[in-house]
Amino acid sequence: MDLREKTVNSKKIYKGKIVNLRLDEVELPNGKFSKREIVEHNGAVAIVPYYKNKVIMVEQFRKATEEILLEIPAGKIEKGEDLVESAKRELEEEIGYQPANLKWLCKAYTSPGFTNETIDIYLATELVRTKQNTDEDEFINIRQFDISAVGEMMAKGEFRDAKTIIGLQYLLADLKEG
Amino acid sequence: MDLREKTVNSKKIYKGKIVNLRLDEVELPNGKFSKREIVEHNGAVAIVPYYKNKVIMVEQFRKATEEILLEIPAGKIEKGEDLVESAKRELEEEIGYQPANLKWLCKAYTSPGFTNETIDIYLATELVRTKQNTDEDEFINIRQFDISAVGEMMAKGEFRDAKTIIGLQYLLADLKEG
C-alpha cells in the first residue's frame, strides 16, 4: 500500500520565533480526507559532553513543562549554521567547553506525529575549558555526574528528556562495547 | 539561582485536535521579560514489542516530516485512559497483539523547549496474537526485524524517530545485561 498523504490545502495559523503552526488538509491512501496539525521547527542539536568518566549536564527551567529538567546541552540551529558549528557553539555557550573530538550519533525526529523538528545528537570528548556564555533569556545550572550514576539513573528511568536519554544511552552502549 | 519563570500573561492562539498553541509572557530570574511559545499535547505512549528475538515495528507516513518512518507502535492517550490501558490498546490496534508482560521503561518529554508532550515507553514481551484494528485515518505497514539487525541499525544511527531509538536502546541494553 502506498502510505503517502497528498496535501490538498494548507493554512498558516501562526508564525513565531521558535515554531510556526499550520493546518494541512490531506487526501488519505483510501481517498478520504483528513486534517493534520503541523508544528514547524528549524531543527536542533544536542551534545553529550563526556570527560574523565563524567557527563556534564545542565539544569534548566522549561516553561512548557513547568519543571526544572536535567538535560544534555542543546539548542536550536541558527540560520546559515551547519550542524557541527551549531553543536560546538551550543556546547561552549551552555557549559563553557570546546570539544577536541565530536562524534555524530544519530538524527531523530522528536515527535513526528505533529512536528518536523529534528535533533542531531553528538558525543563530545576531550573537552577544552573556555568560557560559558548563555543567551540573555537562558538561565542554567551546570551539573556533573559520574558515568556509574548515569547508568543507574538510566536503568531506573529517571531521566525525563528524550534527547538526553538517547545521547546517554549511546554513550553507555559505547562504553560497554569498550 | 532560582531558575523558575513566572507567567505574567498567557494567550491562547489555537485549539486543535492533537495540539493547542499558546503564547506565555514570563518574568525571567533576572527580572526581565520574555515570551514562550508552548504547544500543549495530552501525552502519548509507545511500546517495544519483542518476541522470539524479533522486534515488531510499523511503517507510517508522517505528514509533518513528509517521510515514511519506521517506528515502534505508539499513540495518544485517550480521555480517561490510564497509561497501561493506553499502551495495550495501541499495541493491539497497530499490530494486533496483546502483551502477557508489559514493563515500563521511562517517561520522557519529547521536546521540552516548546511542548509539554510526554511519552511513556514500555517493553512488551510474551505477545498473544489478536487482530489489528487501526484508526480510520491511520495507514501502516507492519515490519519485523531480528534483534541483531536492530543492534546494527542502532550503531549506525539509522533509526529516525526519538521514541523508537529510546525504546530499542533500552531493549538492547537489557539483553546485554542478560
Side-chain angles (χ1 to χ4, degrees), chain A residues 59-61 136-141, chain B residues 1 3 28-30:
Chain A
E59 269 180 348
Q60 197 168 2
F61 178 73
E136 63 167 359
D137 67 345
E138 196 174 45
F139 299 86
I140 63 183
N141 287 334
Chain B
M1 181 171 53
L3 300 169
L28 301 173
N30 65 359

Side-chain angles (χ1 to χ4, degrees), chain A residues 7 16-19 36-37 61 63-64 67 109 111-112 116-117 154 160-162 169-170 176-177, chain B residues 3 7 16-19 37 61 63-64 67 109 111-112 116-117 137 154 160-162 169-170 176-177:
Chain A
T7 309
K17 213 180 112 192
I18 312 293
V19 297
R36 303 287 181 218
E37 298 158 2
F61 178 73
K63 190 69 185 78
E67 280 188 61
Y109 285 111
S111 193
N116 68 346
E117 185 194 21
M154 187 64 75
R160 305 285 306 276
D161 169 54
Q169 282 173 320
Y170 265 105
K176 237 173 239 167
E177 293 299 325
Chain B
L3 300 169
T7 310
K17 211 179 111 190
I18 312 293
V19 298
E37 299 159 0
F61 178 72
K63 191 70 186 74
E67 282 188 59
Y109 286 111
S111 192
N116 68 346
E117 185 194 21
D137 68 344
M154 186 65 73
R160 304 285 306 276
D161 169 55
Q169 281 176 320
Y170 265 106
K176 237 174 238 166
E177 293 298 327

